[in-house]
């Protein structure tokens, strides 16, 4: 089974766990070492069980805890050359650099890194495969490109950014420059953009859909749900909302018969 869960999702810290058998990876770590261990324990995990840490980009809500965690449990950190060149992930015991759009294996997991438009050195997001199933983790992008649509089409599960409501952002207390950054082509997806992307990707195959990276200042689950419903229809048990304080609990994708090993 391909399983996944979140330690937390939002501007105060992000981390997603993906597991297949005894292969367990952490995508990003924006929390302190103590908080990361506490949140992992809530999912029944110890940090020492991690096989690797994948980093999407160098912004602190995704990378602040990576180096210290990697050193303490001695696991490799996978990132792009641009993310490494940012200088914010020094001190990792082992660094594996990859190019966007390459595929590689970490134990039983196949990982595909996908380039996305975001205001970082060389940001990417991930699609992970095991047992004939695939999970897309797609947050921190300011606009939808044909490349993103192509790479994330056909996922069995999707963690998708619904960052902000445009009207709430415009009326909110952020400085004008920050508002322009968040809403810009290299910032974050608003609710309507995320819904439109989902419509392009299609929902028929999805067994799980997680609305993630929801801004605590410029969005709310109700507004995100309203935008989603416009393309999804009435929300059902497949839809989950990721929270900043607790992420979301384990979700699973049973392997297709006869495909218990990665491609």
């Amino acid at each position: 089974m391909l399983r996944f869960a979140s330690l937390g999702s939002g501007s105060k810290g992000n981390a997603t766990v993906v597991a297949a058998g005894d292969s367990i990876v952490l995508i990003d770590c924006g929390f302190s070492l103590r908080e990361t261990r506490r949140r992992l324990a809530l999912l029944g995990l110890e940090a020492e069980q991690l096989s690797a840490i994948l980093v999407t980009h160098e912004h602190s809500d995704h990378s602040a805890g990576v180096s210290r965690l990697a050193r303490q449990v001695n696991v490799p950190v996978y990132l792009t050359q641009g993310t490494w060149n940012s200088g914010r992930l020094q001190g990792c015991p082992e660094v594996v650099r990859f190019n966007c759009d390459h595929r590689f294996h970490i134990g039983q997991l196949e990982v595909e890194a996908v380039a996305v438009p975001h205001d970082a050195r060389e940001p990417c997001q991930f699609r992970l495969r095991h047992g004939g199933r695939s999970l897309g983790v797609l947050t921190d992008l300011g606009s939808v490109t044909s490349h993103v649509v192509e790479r994330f089409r056909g996922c069995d599960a999707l963690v998708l950014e619904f960052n902000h409501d445009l009207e709430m952002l415009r009326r909110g207390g952020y400085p004008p420059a920050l508002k322009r950054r968040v809403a810009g082509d290299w910032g974050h997806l608003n609710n309507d953009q995320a819904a439109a992307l989902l419509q392009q990707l299609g929902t028929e195959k999805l067994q799980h859909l997680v609305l993630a990276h929801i801004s605590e200042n410029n969005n709310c689950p109700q507004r995100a749900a309203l935008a989603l419903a416009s393309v999804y229809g009435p929300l059902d048990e497949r839809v989950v909302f990721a929270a900043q304080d607790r992420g979301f609990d384990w979700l699973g994708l049973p392997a297709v018969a006869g495909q218990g090993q990665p491609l």
Side-chain angles (χ1 to χ4, degrees):
M1 177 178 286
L2 179 61
R3 300 190 303 145
F4 61 103
S6 171
L7 279 62
S9 179
S11 61
K12 296 177 182 176
N14 297 272
T16 305
V17 185
V18 184
D22 59 0
S23 303
I24 305 173
V25 300
L26 187 65
I27 300 177
D28 292 332
C29 183
F31 302 103
S32 69
L33 182 58
R34 181 177 180 179
E35 185 65 10
T36 299
R37 284 188 173 276
R38 185 187 73 82
R39 294 183 183 222
L40 282 171
L42 294 175
L43 297 172
L45 294 175
E46 296 180 355
E48 286 73 14
Q49 294 176 261
L50 295 176
S51 306
I53 303 173
L54 301 172
V55 182
T56 60
H57 63 295
E58 70 273 13
H59 292 165
S60 61
D61 59 322
H62 293 262
S63 70
V66 170
S67 296
R68 189 174 179 190
L69 177 62
R71 286 196 303 272
Q72 187 169 95
V73 299
N74 194 32
V75 293
V77 174
Y78 289 70
L79 38 62
T80 65
Q81 184 67 48
T83 298
W84 174 251
N85 289 345
S86 71
R88 296 186 182 183
L89 289 125
Q90 303 300 316
C92 299
E94 180 184 352
V95 173
V96 181
R97 301 172 184 85
F98 57 79
N99 294 322
C100 285
D101 302 318
H102 278 201
R103 294 188 184 188
F104 51 92
H105 285 90
I106 300 175
Q108 298 182 53
L109 286 165
E110 181 186 275
V111 182
E112 178 182 4
V114 181
V116 295
H118 192 52
D119 56 353
R121 291 292 187 95
E122 191 181 354
C124 67
Q125 295 293 310
F126 296 107
R127 183 168 180 171
L128 302 99
R129 295 174 172 87
H130 171 78
R133 303 294 189 187
S134 70
L135 161 69
V137 179
L138 182 54
T139 66
D140 293 78
L141 67 163
S143 52
V144 176
T145 66
S146 58
H147 181 71
V148 166
V149 173
E150 177 188 353
R151 294 299 181 182
F152 285 92
R153 184 174 281 131
C155 289
D156 299 285
L158 183 63
V159 178
L160 179 60
E161 174 173 65
F162 277 70
N163 178 254
H164 61 280
D165 174 83
L166 269 179
E167 188 60 29
M168 288 182 69
L169 178 66
R170 288 170 181 154
R171 294 186 178 186
Y174 278 11
L178 182 54
K179 290 182 180 181
R180 289 193 294 271
R181 173 188 171 263
V182 170
D185 288 344
W186 302 88
H188 293 272
L189 291 185
N190 64 53
N191 292 336
D192 294 334
Q193 286 175 304
L197 170 56
L198 188 62
Q199 189 171 36
Q200 292 184 71
L201 296 177
T203 62
E204 297 79 10
K205 192 179 179 183
L206 285 177
Q207 297 184 36
H208 301 290
L209 171 63
V210 179
L211 280 64
H213 220 308
I214 298 172
S215 172
E216 294 182 296
N217 296 309
N218 303 302
N219 205 1
C220 63
Q222 293 79 10
R223 293 206 177 199
L226 186 63
L228 174 60
S230 68
V231 300
Y232 186 91
L235 305 193
D236 55 31
E237 69 280 354
R238 294 181 295 166
V239 178
V240 174
F241 292 81
Q244 178 67 87
D245 60 344
R246 62 187 183 279
F248 58 88
D249 205 351
W250 287 108
L251 300 171
L253 293 167
V256 176
Q259 298 193 48
Q261 297 298 322
L263 298 175

